[in-house]
Amino acid sequence: ESRPANPGPVGLLGFGLSTILLNLHNTGRFPLSTVIVAMGIALGGGAQVIVGLLEWVRGNTFAHVAFTSYGAFWLSLVLVWLLPNTAARSSSIVEPASEYFVGVYLVLWGIFSFLMLMCTIRMNVAIFIVFLTVTLLFLMLGFANMTGNQTALRVAGYEGVICGSTALYLAFAEILNEVWDRTILPVIPMTQLLDWLVMLMCTIRMNVAIFIVFLTVTLLFLMLGFANMTGNQTALRVAGYEGVICGSTALYLAFAEILNEVWDRTILPVIPMTQLLDWLGVRRQKPEEVTGLNCSVPILKNGNN
């Protein structure tokens, strides 16, 4: 049976390409030209709104809200740019927006993006990163506009390029994985990431050696995920070295358990976490240690003190 196509990648492409173009302007490398305005109307605005409506037909509430809202954002942003050249000149009611008020407008979109970010915790790492970066982007752009800080605007521009790139990654991941019917570009379910974090948290009650093993393997997965999502070979090499360290810590723990059991004493220390916390001075005292409940009380014998 034929099934409807997934419109999501089109919306992600519209969002990603438009975001990259606009933020190349924010970095100061290009002026705000008709290229950005045209992309904002056609792809960033129009395409996303259409995709949002298609997602509504499919019953995908999250995608419907996201694409329709961000499509409307792009259309409204273009109007913010263009209206001062039309209505504001011939009207005493409508005035061009100040930079500060544009910043407020962007911060509100940052709050909206943050709330949408909370929904992605049940999805996958790729879409979580998209919404995390877009939330940061809106807040950074809002701050830059409200303060007039050009350095902050340029930094936000570079962050926006990263944001748009993550959206493009997710778009092509959905396309390639569907076409090839297997995982070409991983998106990593959030449940898998949360499982890693839970396992890491569990080691806090064990020993330093196993904590380091799970800490390094967590970093390894995150670094490999980043390297694969961005195609950055330098990041992949760095992850490789970190992986060697990770494997070495696991070997250390393995031989520590063997040698310490065979010799029935500590040959290779693993250091209990409680001992480390004592060294750091952050271990909480037990109630009896604080209140002195274990202090012995002299007993009177034969009426003598």
Side-chain angles (χ1 to χ4, degrees), residues 168-271:
L168 293 182
Y169 174 90
L170 181 57
F172 284 107
E174 292 193 8
I175 296 169
L176 289 170
N177 295 348
E178 181 178 324
V179 169
W180 289 88
D181 197 23
R182 61 189 178 91
T183 300
I184 303 296
L185 294 177
V187 294
I188 309 174
M190 285 297 290
T191 52
Q192 186 175 338
L193 177 63
L194 293 175
D195 284 343
W196 294 336
L197 294 176
V198 168
M199 290 295 291
L200 176 62
M201 293 299 101
C202 291
T203 62
I204 293 176
R205 293 181 59 87
M206 298 180 184
N207 58 63
V208 175
I210 196 168
F211 176 79
I212 292 175
V213 170
F214 277 89
L215 176 62
T216 53
V217 77
T218 300
L219 292 175
L220 176 61
F221 279 123
L222 294 176
M223 293 169 71
L224 287 173
F226 172 79
N228 281 275
M229 291 171 71
T230 60
N232 190 315
Q233 293 301 309
T234 301
L236 184 62
R237 285 193 292 272
V238 172
Y241 289 115
E242 201 278 341
V244 172
I245 296 172
C246 173
S248 301
T249 60
L251 291 179
Y252 175 90
L253 180 58
F255 283 107
E257 292 192 3
I258 295 170
L259 290 171
N260 295 348
E261 181 178 327
V262 169
W263 289 87
D264 197 23
R265 61 190 178 91
T266 301
I267 303 297
L268 293 177
V270 293
I271 309 174

Side-chain angles (χ1 to χ4, degrees), residues 269-302:
V270 293
I271 309 174
M273 286 297 291
T274 52
Q275 185 176 338
L276 176 63
L277 294 176
D278 284 339
W279 290 342
L280 297 175
V282 296
R283 186 185 175 195
R284 294 181 61 186
Q285 291 180 307
K286 296 179 180 178
E288 57 268 22
E289 293 174 337
V290 177
T291 59
L293 295 178
N294 285 340
C295 295
S296 59
V297 179
I299 300 176
L300 299 179
K301 294 183 179 180
N302 300 324

Side-chain angles (χ1 to χ4, degrees), residues 15-300:
F15 175 84
L17 291 172
S18 302
T19 300
I20 290 173
L21 277 178
L22 174 59
N23 285 284
L24 286 174
H25 157 69
N26 288 334
T27 61
R29 295 181 178 275
F30 300 95
L32 182 60
S33 66
T34 53
V35 171
I36 299 173
V37 174
M39 282 286 285
I41 295 173
L43 204 57
Q48 283 200 87
V49 169
I50 293 171
V51 169
L53 295 175
L54 292 174
E55 292 288 2
W56 172 69
V57 173
R58 299 178 72 205
N60 189 343
T61 302
F62 176 84
H64 164 64
V65 173
F67 288 124
T68 306
S69 299
Y70 287 119
F73 161 76
W74 270 102
L75 294 175
S76 70
L77 182 63
V78 170
L79 290 174
V80 169
W81 292 334
L82 297 183
L83 284 178
N85 297 321
T86 55
R89 288 185 176 180
S90 59
S91 173
S92 59
I93 300 175
V94 180
E95 296 183 0
S98 65
E99 289 294 318
Y100 185 87
F101 199 51
V102 171
V104 173
Y105 160 81
L106 293 169
V107 168
L108 288 175
W109 277 101
I111 295 171
F112 166 79
S113 299
F114 175 76
L115 296 175
M116 295 295 286
L117 172 66
M118 294 298 99
C119 300
T120 64
I121 294 175
R122 293 180 58 87
M123 298 179 184
N124 59 63
V125 175
I127 197 168
F128 177 82
I129 293 175
V130 171
F131 277 86
L132 176 62
T133 53
V134 76
T135 300
L136 293 175
L137 175 60
F138 276 124
L139 295 177
M140 292 169 70
L141 287 174
F143 171 79
N145 279 270
M146 293 171 73
T147 60
N149 190 317
Q150 293 301 308
T151 301
L153 183 62
R154 286 194 292 273
V155 172
Y158 288 111
E159 199 277 344
V161 172
I162 295 172
C163 173
S165 300
T166 60
L168 293 182
Y169 174 90
L170 181 57
F172 284 107
E174 292 193 8
I175 296 169
L176 289 170
N177 295 348
E178 181 178 324
V179 169
W180 289 88
D181 197 23
R182 61 189 178 91
T183 300
I184 303 296
L185 294 177
V187 294
I188 309 174
M190 285 297 290
T191 52
Q192 186 175 338
L193 177 63
L194 293 175
D195 284 343
W196 294 336
L197 294 176
V198 168
M199 290 295 291
L200 176 62
M201 293 299 101
C202 291
T203 62
I204 293 176
R205 293 181 59 87
M206 298 180 184
N207 58 63
V208 175
I210 196 168
F211 176 79
I212 292 175
V213 170
F214 277 89
L215 176 62
T216 53
V217 77
T218 300
L219 292 175
L220 176 61
F221 279 123
L222 294 176
M223 293 169 71
L224 287 173
F226 172 79
N228 281 275
M229 291 171 71
T230 60
N232 190 315
Q233 293 301 309
T234 301
L236 184 62
R237 285 193 292 272
V238 172
Y241 289 115
E242 201 278 341
V244 172
I245 296 172
C246 173
S248 301
T249 60
L251 291 179
Y252 175 90
L253 180 58
F255 283 107
E257 292 192 3
I258 295 170
L259 290 171
N260 295 348
E261 181 178 327
V262 169
W263 289 87
D264 197 23
R265 61 190 178 91
T266 301
I267 303 297
L268 293 177
V270 293
I271 309 174
M273 286 297 291
T274 52
Q275 185 176 338
L276 176 63
L277 294 176
D278 284 339
W279 290 342
L280 297 175
V282 296
R283 186 185 175 195
R284 294 181 61 186
Q285 291 180 307
K286 296 179 180 178
E288 57 268 22
E289 293 174 337
V290 177
T291 59
L293 295 178
N294 285 340
C295 295
S296 59
V297 179
I299 300 176
L300 299 179

